[in-house]
Amino acid sequence: MDGEASTNSWPSDFEAGLSELLDNVVVDENGEWKAKLSERILQLAGLRNNHPHFIVGEDSQESPDRSRSNSLRSTETQTDEMKKNVIENPKGVEETLRKLENGTLKHRMLEGYFTKSEAVSIRRKFIESQIGCPLNGIPHANYDYNLVNGACCENIIGYMPIPIGVAGPLKINGQDYYIPLVTTEGALVASTNRGCSAVMSAIKRTKELQDLGIVSTVFEDSMTRAPVISFKSAQDAIRILNWIKDPIVKRKIKEEFEKDSNYCRLEEIDPYISGSLLFLRFKAKTGDAMGMNMISKAANGAMKHILKVISNKFPDMRPKYLSLSGNMCVDKKASATNWIEGRGKSVVSGITIPEDVVQTVLKTSVDELVTLAKEKLLVGTSMSGTIGGWNAHAANIVAAMFLATGQDAAQVVSSSMCYTEMKKTETGDLYISCTMKCLEVGTVGGGTILKPQQTALEMLGCCGAAQVPGENAKRLAEIICAAVLAGELSLMASQCTDDLVRSHLKLNRSCANIGQNSSARFEVPPPPFESVPDFRHLSTTSNLERHHLGISEKYNNVIPGSQRVGELVKVDLFRNLS
């Protein structure tokens, strides 16, 4: 049979096979039938060789700055081969599982013997056998693991879908942006969006704001790494500290630091003494990368040079190089050093919100906001002893944007340090600013290589490397700081009223009954939304009360956990009322 005939017969073959499958489905109690049915449907779809296949992470355009882009072309072939091997040669998988069980093979080694997708499938089976729990709820198919291995994750068993919402538009430095926010916290996107609306309303009503909107500026840019050296005495540590301060010595260290990188440029070396310990805090620009790997490699090279010179110039010292990181960097910890000295991008954003916008959009007053900012953000934060915590919820927006754009999520702890200022202007309006001293972000490397995260960066106009090194990463930092400002504005306003509790009760409480066995659930599709009559105008409620109990019992029994019960009950109530 030629290719065209095979393609034309595929729909009928698929329909016949699917019909047979559905006729023979056995619904078990633990829900395993769903996974089995899905797998059989995938096998049926494989009857057609040229069916469309979506791979998460696939990029149809050549990207010159991605060294592994060519591997994307073979992903579909590898996926098909994986299915063939697993289905037609189950003994190979069974033998591998036995080796994993008896310890002769470590599951971290699977990628060395199988394709990336095969390794994930086999590892899942092994983990399921160890924990006695199916992993059906964690998806793993149709994902490009070629980008993930060796860059983003190890011992992979799948990927975790998280909802992504959008707030905006928000005008920042003269350009409108829609802000991508990845979160599972209901009300966060809605609240940030209200802050954006307040800003945009202020811009429309104020001629001076219409060109720029929020003005957001990176005023310092340097990533840091701080190795630590141990000496026999504090005096030896001080001798080396003074030696490093010599301009000629510094210049040579700078040469060694930068020799293996096109982008890493040493700005300063800040020494710190603690007894016999010497910490050297290297500060460097790292282009559009967040830069931890880049500066770590450069600092390690500089330290080797320093120790070599010390051994020749000060042979009696014999210092010990304890660690590339002495925790004075300071990475992934809220610290006073980062707040005072800065790390990554130091950014400030600000805008004036007219008094009438505060009243009409935010439903509060300038005086109430300014008072709350003083008593909550300054007094309350100071009493709690928080470092960099003079804000309402900067971490919410930082975390949501970090997840959306492929940043290092653990750095939220330091990147969300923020001081939110609110003050009343001479004309009675509200001036709000956010100062963030430690935004550790990049637009190349790490999670930014993954297609969904790249798309979020493209939304913000800062994906990949800029023509002027560092400009895209700076833009991302400025956008995040401005988005934090919008979020602060809305949440502080809601805390002046009852909006905070009301919004969270409405948007952050799940109605799903997750305690029920998922295999017992099924949902009746709701009618089109416009066909559900609005009967709120009815003046009598006796009929509603009369039917409420029976309808609730009926639908709770038939559709446990359904979030559409309310719509269906509406329809049933209307029928009874009429």
Side-chain angles (χ1 to χ4, degrees):
M1 181 181 294
D2 60 24
E4 184 178 357
S6 177
T7 300
N8 291 337
S9 67
W10 181 82
S12 58
D13 293 341
F14 179 76
E15 183 178 355
L18 183 61
S19 177
E20 182 180 355
L21 267 182
L22 297 176
D23 288 342
N24 293 283
V25 168
V26 177
V27 179
D28 50 46
E29 294 183 354
N30 57 17
E32 291 183 1
W33 65 275
K34 299 176 183 178
K36 294 176 182 177
L37 179 60
S38 298
E39 180 63 27
R40 289 292 296 124
I41 292 174
L42 283 175
Q43 292 176 33
L44 279 174
L47 291 171
R48 184 183 184 187
N49 294 326
N50 62 344
H51 66 281
H53 191 80
F54 175 71
I55 302 296
V56 177
E58 190 172 33
D59 189 352
S60 60
Q61 297 180 352
E62 287 291 332
S63 179
D65 59 340
R66 289 170 59 187
S67 60
R68 286 174 292 178
S69 61
N70 289 334
S71 67
L72 295 170
R73 308 295 183 263
S74 62
T75 302
E76 183 175 339
T77 302
Q78 290 179 353
T79 304
D80 291 339
E81 289 177 355
M82 178 271 291
K83 290 178 183 176
K84 181 178 179 181
N85 291 339
V86 171
I87 294 170
E88 297 182 2
N89 188 22
K91 292 183 179 179
V93 174
E94 292 173 0
E95 179 63 24
T96 300
L97 290 172
R98 280 195 293 270
K99 289 182 178 181
L100 291 170
E101 184 71 34
N102 62 33
T104 57
L105 179 67
K106 303 296 184 183
H107 72 84
R108 67 172 182 271
M109 302 165 61
L110 289 172
E111 279 77 10
Y113 297 94
F114 300 92
T115 67
K116 302 298 189 295
S117 295
E118 280 182 308
V120 171
S121 296
I122 295 171
R123 185 177 292 112
R124 286 169 65 93
K125 292 180 181 295
F126 172 67
I127 297 300
E128 287 176 334
S129 70
Q130 297 299 298
I131 65 177
C133 173
L135 299 179
N136 298 339
I138 299 177
H140 69 288
N142 298 339
Y143 197 89
D144 182 15
Y145 295 106
N146 291 299
L147 289 175
V148 178
N149 283 95
C152 300
C153 189
E154 302 79 39
N155 296 345
I156 304 165
I157 60 171
Y159 55 92
M160 185 60 64
I162 311 176
I164 179 170
V166 63
L170 183 63
K171 178 166 279 190
I172 307 165
N173 296 338
Q175 186 169 342
D176 288 354
Y177 295 95
Y178 284 91
I179 309 299
L181 299 166
V182 170
T183 183
T184 56
E185 181 183 351
L188 175 61
V189 176
S191 177
T192 307
N193 195 66
R194 184 175 76 144
C196 294
S197 297
V199 169
M200 297 303 281
S201 295
I203 293 170
K204 290 178 181 178
R205 301 186 194 190
T206 310
K207 184 177 180 181
E208 292 79 7
L209 299 176
Q210 290 176 3
D211 290 337
L212 293 176
I214 295 177
V215 177
S216 189
T217 309
V218 170
F219 59 89
E220 189 171 337
D221 178 12
S222 59
M223 183 46 65
T224 62
R225 179 57 93 190
V228 56
I229 314 171
S230 175
F231 294 88
K232 289 184 293 184
S233 67
Q235 288 69 32
D236 285 349
I238 292 174
R239 284 175 66 191
I240 297 303
L241 181 152
N242 291 328
W243 170 70
I244 287 176
K245 288 181 178 180
D246 183 281
I248 297 176
V249 174
K250 269 191 174 182
R251 187 160 55 247
K252 182 59 180 174
I253 293 174
K254 179 178 173 66
E255 291 175 4
E256 293 295 323
F257 184 94
E258 297 177 355
K259 71 178 185 180
D260 293 326
S261 175
N262 293 324
Y263 299 100
C264 200
R265 295 292 175 262
L266 184 63
E267 299 284 305
E268 189 56 73
I269 305 174
D270 294 329
Y272 297 86
I273 289 285
S274 179
S276 60
L277 298 176
L278 173 61
F279 298 82
L280 298 176
R281 193 170 189 255
F282 293 88
K283 300 174 68 175
K285 294 190 182 301
T286 56
D288 284 303
M290 182 271 287
M292 281 305 301
N293 289 338
M294 190 185 298
I295 195 172
S296 295
K297 179 182 177 182
N300 198 48
M303 289 304 298
K304 289 181 179 178
H305 166 74
I306 290 171
L307 293 170
K308 182 179 179 180
V309 174
I310 290 176
S311 66
N312 293 330
K313 190 175 181 66
F314 309 97
D316 57 320
M317 286 191 181
R318 295 192 295 276
K320 186 176 181 181
Y321 181 21
L322 295 180
S323 174
L324 176 62
S325 173
N327 266 16
M328 276 292 295
C329 309
V330 179
D331 190 35
K332 298 180 174 70
K333 289 165 279 290
S335 75
T337 297
N338 285 357
W339 182 252
I340 296 169
E341 299 291 337
R343 188 172 196 257
K345 276 56 175 180
S346 295
V347 200
V348 61
S349 298
I351 192 170
T352 298
I353 308 296
E355 181 182 16
D356 62 330
V357 173
V358 173
Q359 294 174 349
T360 58
V361 179
L362 299 174
K363 312 300 182 185
T364 185
S365 69
V366 173
D367 288 333
E368 286 178 320
L369 280 170
V370 171
T371 300
L372 181 61
K374 176 183 176 182
E375 296 176 352
K376 171 187 171 72
L377 303 186
L378 294 180
V379 178
T381 300
S382 298
M383 287 184 65
S384 70
T386 304
I387 299 293
W390 302 283
N391 60 82
H393 71 146
N396 261 334
I397 285 81
V398 173
M401 292 195 70
F402 268 36
L403 291 173
T405 59
Q407 308 305 308
D408 187 336
Q411 289 182 325
V412 170
V413 69
S414 47
S415 292
S416 61
M417 293 196 297
C418 172
Y419 167 53
T420 298
E421 173 194 35
M422 291 186 179
K423 63 182 182 181
K424 191 174 184 178
T425 68
E426 293 180 355
T427 57
D429 299 324
L430 174 72
Y431 179 77
I432 176 173
S433 70
C434 288
T435 304
M436 307 183 75
K437 301 288 292 293
C438 185
L439 259 177
E440 300 144 314
V441 297
T443 58
V444 298
T448 69
I449 68 173
L450 303 175
K451 184 60 180 177
Q453 287 78 357
Q454 283 188 343
T455 302
L457 287 169
E458 288 169 356
M459 288 175 62
L460 303 174
C462 54
C463 182
Q467 289 185 344
V468 178
E471 289 302 304
N472 276 352
K474 286 182 181 179
R475 175 181 289 188
L476 177 60
E478 290 168 350
I479 294 171
I480 292 174
C481 189
V484 166
L485 184 151
E488 293 286 279
L489 186 62
S490 179
L491 181 59
M492 289 293 287
S494 72
Q495 291 183 354
C496 291
T497 64
D498 292 330
D499 289 347
L500 176 65
V501 175
R502 284 204 306 266
S503 64
H504 275 72
L505 288 176
K506 180 180 179 181
L507 301 174
N508 197 22
R509 297 183 73 195
S510 174
C511 297
N513 182 5
I514 59 174
Q516 297 288 336
N517 190 321
S518 60
S519 64
R521 300 179 192 169
F522 65 94
E523 292 190 3
V524 177
F529 196 79
E530 60 270 15
S531 69
V532 180
D534 184 357
F535 50 82
R536 290 175 295 179
H537 64 280
L538 294 175
S539 57
T540 59
T541 58
S542 57
N543 287 338
L544 294 176
E545 293 170 355
R546 184 183 314 142
H547 296 290
H548 173 72
L549 180 60
I551 290 173
S552 295
E553 290 176 352
K554 178 177 67 173
Y555 280 100
N556 281 335
N557 290 333
V558 174
I559 320 171
S562 172
Q563 295 184 11
R564 295 170 175 165
V565 170
E567 296 175 11
L568 294 166
V569 170
K570 258 189 176 185
V571 177
D572 209 332
L573 278 171
F574 184 81
R575 292 194 186 110
N576 281 282
L577 288 168
S578 59

